[in-house]
Amino acid sequence: MRVISGKYKGRTLLSPHGEVRPTTDLVKGSLFSMLDAGGLVRDANWLDVFCGGGGIGIEALSRGANSCVFTDIDTSNVCSNLKKLDLSCRVIRSDFRRVLRLLREEKFDVVFCDPPYKSGYAQTAFELILKYDIITDGGVIIIEHSCENDLINVPEDCIIDKRVFGVSALEIITRG
């Protein structure tokens, strides 16, 4: 896993071991191209849920994001990567349901969720993000999941853009 652009371009990052699949460079590059075009990277406040090694949030910071909160049940890899890059960020080690409830008084421009594939957590996380209203006006929720599982049921007041990359799908969701 590596940073593909910005201040930390080319720096390698630790990724979790086991049955994980860090976001590929192709998916990451496509995602950030879309977000850059929409003005959702530079000076934006990010939340990286199910962050693993923190690759997406670190990529955002490398490209000029204002801040990123990282959260996962195991934060050892993201903490190592942040230390390696001398980045000072908020890291919350806990279950995503608890974290989203704790952050309900905060607002983020971008919330990126990459739950374990086929876990059923994508829909739950999406619903909690909406329930706790942690997205700024004009902000986006991005859910990465297996393209075999179209599990994101979106309310009528949301707009969705779906991109498929091999076995991975990105759902980019905005309100209004």
Side-chain angles (χ1 to χ4, degrees):
M1 192 165 71
R2 67 186 178 100
V3 180
I4 61 171
S5 188
K7 182 177 181 179
Y8 305 107
K9 180 180 179 176
R11 300 288 297 270
T12 58
L13 304 172
L14 296 172
S15 62
H17 297 290
E19 290 187 36
V20 296
R21 22 110 234 107
T23 304
T24 65
D25 288 354
L26 172 67
V27 174
K28 198 183 310 183
S30 296
L31 173 64
F32 277 93
S33 290
M34 288 183 284
L35 296 175
D36 276 332
L40 289 164
V41 180
R42 183 161 302 284
D43 299 324
N45 295 313
W46 282 60
L47 173 61
D48 190 348
V49 185
F50 306 100
C51 69
I56 292 293
I58 290 171
E59 187 74 37
L61 293 167
S62 181
R63 292 170 182 246
N66 184 49
S67 67
C68 185
V69 175
F70 295 90
T71 180
D72 207 328
I73 200 77
D74 177 2
T75 57
S76 57
N77 285 318
V78 69
C79 287
S80 295
N81 287 330
L82 292 171
K83 184 176 181 179
K84 180 179 181 178
L85 297 173
D86 197 28
L87 286 167
S88 179
C89 294
R90 188 167 158 203
V91 177
I92 304 171
R93 180 181 178 174
S94 189
D95 178 78
F96 74 97
R97 292 165 281 241
R98 181 172 180 268
V99 170
L100 293 171
R101 187 176 65 250
L102 288 171
L103 296 174
R104 69 184 175 268
E105 300 298 320
E106 299 183 39
K107 295 282 188 184
F108 300 92
D109 301 301
V110 179
V111 175
F112 181 82
C113 291
D114 184 9
Y117 282 13
K118 301 177 184 176
S119 66
Y121 294 157
Q123 184 67 40
T124 303
F126 174 69
E127 290 170 0
L128 290 173
I129 291 162
L130 292 181
K131 176 182 177 180
Y132 297 130
D133 193 30
I134 62 173
I135 293 290
T136 59
D137 290 338
V140 298
I141 303 164
I142 302 153
I143 311 266
E144 183 175 345
H145 61 86
S146 168
C147 65
E148 297 172 5
N149 298 338
D150 281 334
L151 19 120
I152 309 302
N153 296 313
V154 180
E156 288 181 17
D157 67 337
C158 291
I159 300 168
I160 188 166
D161 182 7
K162 183 175 181 177
R163 307 287 170 102
V164 177
F165 304 88
V167 298
S168 297
L170 289 177
E171 308 263 358
I172 301 137
I173 306 159
T174 58
R175 285 197 155 175

